[in-house]
Amino acid sequence: SLMQADNRPVMVQALQRAPDGVLQAKHLIHARQLTLTPENGGMMVGDVPGWYRGWLVPSSDKSLLGLSSTADESPSGGATIRQLTGIHLIFQESMQADMTARQLDFLRGVRVAVRTLAGWNEAFDAQQMDAISVGESTLDCDQLRFNIEPGHNLASQAPAGQTPWEMQAISGVVFRTRNDHGLFEGTASRAAYSSSKDIFTVDGAPNRAAIFRQTLPDGSKGPEG
C-alpha cells in the first residue's frame, strides 16, 4: 500500500517514449491510497479523492470523442509540433484495476474531459468545463470501464499506441462534444466506444430512452431523437 501522509497525497507518474526517446505520453494518478494485491494476477485499488491526467500524442487524425490532432509550426520554423490530447478524469469512490482481465474501472461521480493542449506542462480542470468550446468533450457517469479488446494479444506486433481498447460508461450517462458542426449532447443508460471499429454507441433502458441532439454553430436547433 502507498498511503498519503498529512496533506501529501500519493502521486504516480508514468512516461512513455518512442524507440528514439521522444516522449509519446505522460500519465499521472493522484489518490489518497493505492493498494496492490499481487495474488490472482494482480489487483490495484485507489481510494478517493482521486483523479487521473493524461497527455497523449495523437496517433491519427481522429481521437476519442471527436478531437482531431493538429500540428503547429515551431518557433524556429521548419519542423512542426503536434498538439497533445489532454485528459482529466475525476472519480468519487474508487479506482479498481484488474491486471489479469486487463480492465480498469472508475466508480461513482465520474467525469472525464478531453481537449487539446499546447504542451506537456499544460493542464485543465474537468469540473470547470460547464461550457465547452470547439475540440472539447465531457462525459459523466456512475461507472467508467476501460479494457483491452477481448482476444487481443499484447505481445503482438501492433504499432505503438494502437492497442485496440474499449470504453463503457454505465448508468446516468451524460455526454457532450463540440466541433465545427456544432454541439452534440445526449443522455443514456450506457455508452460504449470501440477504438478498432471507431464506433460510439449509446443505449437507453426500458423506462428511459437514450436522447441525442445537435445544436448548430449559429445556435439554432439541429437534429434530435
Side-chain angles (χ1 to χ4, degrees), residues 66-67 114-116 133-137 177-179:
L67 284 182
V114 182
R115 55 166 289 190
T116 55
S133 302
V134 173
E136 298 180 351
S137 305
T177 185
R178 187 185 291 273
N179 59 28

Side-chain angles (χ1 to χ4, degrees), residues 210-224:
I211 298 174
F212 177 85
R213 66 174 61 91
Q214 177 186 5
T215 302
L216 301 176
D218 63 3
S220 61
K221 291 184 177 180
E224 180 175 342

Side-chain angles (χ1 to χ4, degrees), residues 154-195:
L154 290 178
S156 66
Q157 300 301 312
Q162 296 185 19
T163 300
W165 56 275
E166 298 175 335
M167 178 198 75
Q168 292 186 70
I170 303 168
S171 182
V173 179
V174 179
F175 59 91
R176 302 178 301 160
T177 185
R178 187 185 291 273
N179 59 28
D180 293 338
H181 300 288
L183 173 66
F184 300 84
E185 56 187 337
T187 59
S189 296
R190 175 184 173 273
Y193 177 79
S194 169
S195 69

